[in-house]
Amino acid sequence: MTEPREPTEQWTPERYERFQTERERPANDLYALLAPVPGGRAVDLGCGTGALTARLADITGAADVVGIDSSAAMLGAARAHARPGVRFEAGDLAIWGDRTDPVDVVAANASLQWVPDHVDVLTRWTAALRAGGQLAVQVPSNADHASHLVAAEVAGEARFAEAFAAAGGPPPDPVAVNVLKPEVYAELLWDLGYADQAVRLQVYGPVLPSTAGVVDWMAGTSLTRFERLLDEGVYAGFVDRYRDRLVEVLGDRQPYYFAFKRILLWGRRPA
Ligand SMILES: C[S@@+](CC[C@H](N)C(=O)[O-])C[C@H]1O[C@@H](n2cnc3c(N)ncnc32)[C@H](O)[C@@H]1O
């Protein structure tokens, strides 16, 4: 296994799992696209807290399923799901596939967006699939939603801009920078030999108690890239300002329907 790169995000399993039911819906839809691979091998790249890795084993019937993640905290939580046929390893999904025995399924739910160069990465993942193997990937596609736009706006405000400048600048939004359009993924899958494929954009609507609930959702994922650069106190101020601006922009709704676009891709290599 290739050594993972230094993790770029601070993940907190408890915070991420706060919306477990809502976050699992797209994963369930993704897994529903998979044909069973009884006795086969599968890999779950960016496995997070591991529950979906175990479910991947249940759904596909694969006998050997490996969850791979670069976050020690997430892997620590994931190991609770280890059992015969389900194991977890540290690794970097951006470079995974170079040196691996062929697998029947490569799955990645809500993780590919954290790395750039999806053409290269998906090409590498495809090369790791045996004939007839399946690729199943889900990425958010909501960089144009206020939840992301307001974070960027607040990061640009003078008091925070200074703190970010001192820390090397606010990080780019990986969803905006890395995620391609659905039709581009479909063309890419075609170019990679997936004549049998399904690519779709779907709006998921987690219902949050209020507009401010978006902050709790984002704190478990996208805001981690701001959090890791700021002192605790400055980050707390950033979050307060983010919450206020979000409520101004989106209105104070109770409950709040969070229209969240995601792309699901599935393809099967020729047998
Ligand atoms: C939003 S979570 C998704 C976790 C899980 N797949 C799920 O759907 O519940 C993204 C995960 O990707 C992992 N990740 C981010 N960049 C990675 C990389 N370069 N290599 C491996 N894992 C990475 C993070 O540590 C995190 O656990």
Side-chain angles (χ1 to χ4, degrees):
M1 188 70 225
T2 317
E3 279 303 303
R5 292 184 306 190
E6 201 53 29
T8 51
E9 313 299 332
Q10 298 301 320
W11 290 92
T12 310
E14 300 74 27
R15 258 197 277 165
Y16 182 72
E17 286 191 329
R18 229 182 119 180
F19 297 99
Q20 192 173 5
T21 308
E22 293 85 350
R23 292 194 200 279
E24 282 184 356
R25 271 195 59 212
N28 290 338
D29 290 348
L30 182 72
Y31 285 180
L33 296 168
L34 284 167
V37 292
R41 297 186 65 218
V43 63
D44 179 14
L45 300 173
C47 63
T49 52
L52 294 174
T53 315
R55 190 170 308 161
L56 183 65
D58 296 338
I59 283 178
T60 60
D64 180 28
V65 180
V66 187
I68 291 174
D69 207 283
S70 55
S71 158
M74 291 302 230
L75 279 174
R79 291 202 168 102
H81 296 279
R83 62 184 200 218
V86 177
R87 57 203 164 90
F88 296 92
E89 287 179 4
D92 184 350
L93 61 84
I95 55 174
W96 181 87
D98 272 346
R99 283 173 292 164
T100 184
D101 294 332
V103 297
D104 300 282
V105 171
V106 172
N109 186 66
S111 53
L112 177 63
Q113 75 274 12
W114 290 102
V115 305
D117 305 325
H118 288 189
V119 174
D120 291 349
V121 173
L122 292 177
T123 301
R124 208 172 293 119
W125 293 3
T126 298
L129 280 175
R130 70 169 90 247
Q134 302 168 79
L135 176 74
V137 177
Q138 184 270 112
V139 281
S141 178
N142 65 334
D144 54 354
H145 188 273
S147 52
H148 285 261
L149 300 178
V150 168
E153 175 201 304
V154 172
E157 291 181 358
R159 62 190 158 138
F160 301 116
E162 276 174 29
F164 282 121
D173 179 348
V175 175
V177 176
N178 298 337
V179 175
L180 307 172
K181 291 182 178 172
E183 63 272 28
V184 177
Y185 285 116
E187 285 172 352
L188 174 59
L189 291 197
W190 172 263
D191 288 344
L192 291 174
Y194 298 96
D196 196 6
Q197 61 159 272
V199 176
R200 70 176 193 247
L201 180 81
Q202 183 159 335
V203 180
Y204 289 88
V207 178
L208 306 177
S210 68
T211 310
V214 173
V215 179
D216 299 327
W217 180 287
M218 296 290 283
T221 55
S222 192
L223 293 188
T224 57
R225 64 201 169 88
F226 299 105
E227 183 178 14
R228 70 187 168 85
L229 296 179
L230 299 178
D231 292 344
E232 205 174 319
V234 180
Y235 178 67
F238 176 82
V239 171
D240 286 344
R241 176 69 182 140
Y242 174 61
R243 182 182 300 105
D244 290 348
R245 277 296 292 146
L246 263 184
V247 171
E248 275 171 23
V249 170
L250 294 173
D252 189 6
R253 299 178 189 217
Q254 299 176 23
Y256 176 70
Y257 175 87
F258 189 6
F260 198 120
K261 300 194 290 292
R262 295 179 182 272
I263 301 170
L264 280 68
L265 4 153
W266 171 86
R268 180 164 27 201
R269 297 194 75 189

